[in-house]
Amino acid sequence: MTVAVALLITALVIVITLMTAAGAATLARLDGATYPTAIIRAATAFAAVITLAAVVTAAIAALLT
């Protein structure tokens, strides 16, 4: 049961991260950025959200132990 919940939470975080990256790329393109610049902005947003998720997970794990 715990493994299933962990996998579902991981999948949810990945989906949210990909949606954030797609939104950042779309907004960059609407702002007039070139495709390479939009991809760089999307990658930056992806990395930021993954990092934020890791930090929050580490903080919660520290509180629970």
Side-chain angles (χ1 to χ4, degrees):
M1 173 88 171
T2 306
V3 175
V5 171
L7 288 174
L8 285 172
I9 291 172
T10 303
L12 180 64
V13 168
I14 296 288
V15 167
I16 290 171
T17 306
L18 289 173
M19 289 173 52
T20 303
T26 302
L27 288 174
R29 282 297 295 157
L30 288 174
D31 195 34
T34 63
Y35 281 109
T37 303
I39 291 172
I40 290 172
R41 290 184 188 173
T44 303
F46 182 86
V49 174
I50 287 289
T51 303
L52 180 63
V55 168
V56 169
T57 302
I60 290 173
L63 289 174
L64 293 177
T65 57

